Amino acid sequence: KRVPWIKTPVADLVFGALIVLNAALLGVDIELGLQSNGPYVMPAFFWAQFGFVVIFVVEILLRIVADGLSYFSPRNVSNLFDTVIILCAVAEYVLLFAVRESMIGQAMTVLRVFRLLGILRVLRLLTIRPELYSICYSLGSALKAVFWVFALLLVFLYICALACTLTLGSSDMPELRDNFGSIFASAYTHFVILTMEGYPPLVSAAVEDGGWLWYFYFGGYILFTNVMLMNLVTGIICESVVRNAVSEEGEKVQWKREFHKLKEVVMDCMADSGFSLEDEMSFDSFQQLIRIPGVRAALSAVDVSLDLTDQQLFAIIDEDGSGTLSLSEFFDSLSRLRGSKDRLHSLLVQADVVLTHQ
C-alpha cells in the first residue's frame, strides 16, 4: 500500500525544519520589534511569517486528507494541539488584516497572546524526533526522586537558616545582620551560597565575628548541598534516561521476536485452512481467519484486543478503506494493535469514527 507523503519520515523532517526556521525568524522579529516599538519591523518579516502560516495550514489539510476523521480523535492529542496553534496563527493574521493601522496599538495585547501560542508549536518536535520524546519522558520519570531530593535540601536549608539566624543575626556587623537577621533573609542567603554566588565576603565576615570554625560550617554546607545533592539530582536524571533507553531497546527486541512468532503461527494457520497467501483478504475471509482458534490464541498472546466485533476490527485494520487486506497491511496493523487490550475504549472510538467516515 502506498503511504501518503505527509505520513512519511521525510515529511516529518521537512516540517520539523520549517518549525525550527519559523521559531528562529519569530525570535528575530520579536527582538527587532521590541527595539522599534512595533508588532512587525519590516514587510519582509510580516510576509515571511505569513508564508509559514500558509505552509502549516496546508500541512494540517494534508494530514486531515490522509487520516480522515480519525485525525480529530481524542487520542491524537498532538494533532488537536497542532490544529489549535495553527488556528491561533490564522486568527492573528485575520486580526492584522481586519484592524486598521491606527488601531494596531489597541490590539497589541491580543497579538502578543497569539504570538506566544505560536511559539508553542516548537513542542511538535517532541513527536517528530523520538529521541527528544524519550528524554522528556525520562525527565518526567525522575521527577518523583528529584522531588524528594529537593525536599531534603529544603529541610537542611531551613535548619541551617535557623542556626545562622540565632548565631549571626544579632551580630554587630551590618553585613551579617542584613543577611542573617531573619529566618527568611537567612534562608535566602543560604540559597545564594548554594549557587556559589557571593559567599566569600559572607564567610570572611562570619569568621571575623565568630571565629575560624565558620570555615568548616560553610565548607560543609557547600559540599553537602552543591556538590552532593546537586550531583545526586544529575545522577538520578542520567540513570532514568539510561534505564528508559535500555528498556525501550529491550522492548523492541522482544516485540520483534514475538511478531516473528506471531507471523509464523498465523501463516501456518492460513496454510492449514486453505487460505491463499498471495490474494488479498475480503471481509468474509478475514472473518474466517480471525475465528480460527490458533489465530485467536496468537493474537491474544500479544495483547491484541478481540473484544471488538469482526466488523469493527476489520475497519480499524483496513486503514485505506478499500474493503480488502493484503498480508503486509494485515501484519502491519497487528503490530499497531499490540497491547490494545488495555485501551479498548479508544479502539471503540476509533472504530466508530472509521465506520462513520465510510
Side-chain angles (χ1 to χ4, degrees):
K1 183 179 69 171
R2 184 176 179 273
V3 178
W5 177 81
I6 195 65
K7 307 288 288 185
T8 63
V10 175
D12 287 337
L13 184 62
V14 169
F15 286 106
L18 289 174
I19 290 173
V20 173
L21 185 59
N22 181 38
L25 184 62
L26 190 59
V28 175
D29 189 7
I30 292 175
E31 178 67 23
L32 297 179
L34 290 174
Q35 297 177 10
S36 63
N37 296 320
Y40 293 95
V41 181
M42 295 183 296
F45 281 100
F46 177 88
W47 292 112
Q49 294 286 356
F50 180 75
F52 278 114
V53 172
V54 172
I55 292 173
F56 293 144
V57 168
V58 172
E59 177 199 1
I60 296 295
L61 293 177
L62 289 176
R63 293 188 184 278
I64 293 175
V65 171
D67 294 338
L69 293 179
S70 62
Y71 179 86
F72 299 103
S73 173
R75 58 193 294 263
N76 295 327
V77 179
S78 62
N79 291 344
L80 299 178
F81 177 79
D82 262 0
T83 303
V84 171
I85 296 300
I86 296 304
L87 288 178
C88 288
V90 172
E92 176 187 358
Y93 278 89
V94 170
L95 184 61
L96 282 172
F97 285 124
V99 175
R100 288 177 297 181
E101 186 174 352
S102 59
M103 300 176 61
I104 288 291
Q106 302 175 10
M108 279 299 296
T109 301
V110 178
L111 293 176
R112 288 193 182 104
V113 172
F114 285 141
R115 185 68 59 86
L116 180 61
L117 291 174
I119 296 173
L120 294 179
R121 194 159 195 253
V122 178
L123 297 176
R124 170 72 190 285
L125 296 176
L126 297 180
T127 62
I128 294 177
R129 298 305 306 170
E131 296 85 356
L132 291 175
Y133 176 81
S134 178
I135 291 174
C136 292
Y137 179 80
S138 299
L139 291 174
S141 302
L143 281 180
K144 183 178 179 180
V146 171
F147 169 80
W148 288 113
V149 172
F150 278 108
L152 173 62
L153 175 61
L154 182 62
V155 171
F156 184 73
L157 188 147
Y158 179 70
I159 293 173
C160 292
L162 288 178
C164 287
T165 302
L166 290 173
T167 55
L168 299 176
S170 58
S171 172
D172 295 332
M173 301 182 67
E175 186 174 9
L176 294 179
R177 286 199 309 270
D178 292 342
N179 288 281
F180 300 102
S182 66
I183 298 296
F184 179 79
S186 184
Y188 176 74
T189 301
H190 277 79
F191 176 78
V192 172
I193 295 174
L194 165 64
T195 63
M196 305 292 289
E197 290 292 333
Y199 71 91
L202 291 176
V203 175
S204 299
V207 170
E208 183 180 346
D209 182 76
W212 56 270
L213 288 177
W214 285 106
Y215 283 127
F216 291 96
Y217 170 81
F218 285 106
Y221 174 80
I222 291 173
L223 284 174
F224 182 74
T225 56
N226 185 277
V227 178
M228 292 181 60
L229 291 185
M230 292 299 99
N231 284 326
L232 178 61
V233 170
T234 303
I236 290 173
I237 295 175
C238 291
E239 190 270 340
S240 177
V241 172
V242 173
R243 183 180 65 248
N244 286 325
V246 172
S247 176
E248 289 177 2
E249 189 63 29
E251 288 180 358
K252 289 179 181 178
V253 173
Q254 180 182 0
W255 169 237
K256 285 182 180 179
R257 293 173 181 171
E258 292 178 354
F259 184 73
H260 182 70
K261 183 65 177 177
L262 170 67
K263 195 171 182 179
E264 286 184 350
V265 171
V266 172
M267 294 190 71
D268 288 343
C269 290
M270 292 178 67
D272 294 340
S273 301
F275 283 90
S276 173
L277 301 180
E278 302 295 335
D279 299 334
E280 294 191 344
M281 286 186 289
S282 63
F283 172 70
D284 293 335
S285 300
F286 170 81
Q287 199 171 30
Q288 296 175 17
L289 175 64
I290 209 69
R291 292 181 179 180
I292 298 175
V295 174
R296 297 186 72 86
L299 296 179
S300 180
V302 294
D303 294 332
V304 173
S305 178
L306 298 175
D307 295 329
L308 301 173
T309 65
D310 295 342
Q311 185 178 10
Q312 288 175 324
L313 189 59
F314 184 82
I316 294 174
I317 294 177
D318 184 24
E319 289 186 311
D320 58 0
S322 63
T324 59
L325 294 174
S326 63
L327 278 181
S328 61
E329 185 180 5
F330 176 70
F331 286 117
D332 288 344
S333 298
L334 291 184
S335 177
R336 181 168 48 86
L337 292 174
R338 180 199 180 200
S340 56
K341 282 184 177 180
D342 299 328
R343 47 186 178 90
L344 178 60
H345 178 70
S346 63
L347 276 184
L348 289 171
V349 173
Q350 183 180 353
D352 292 341
V353 170
V354 173
L355 290 173
T356 301
H357 178 65
Q358 292 176 352

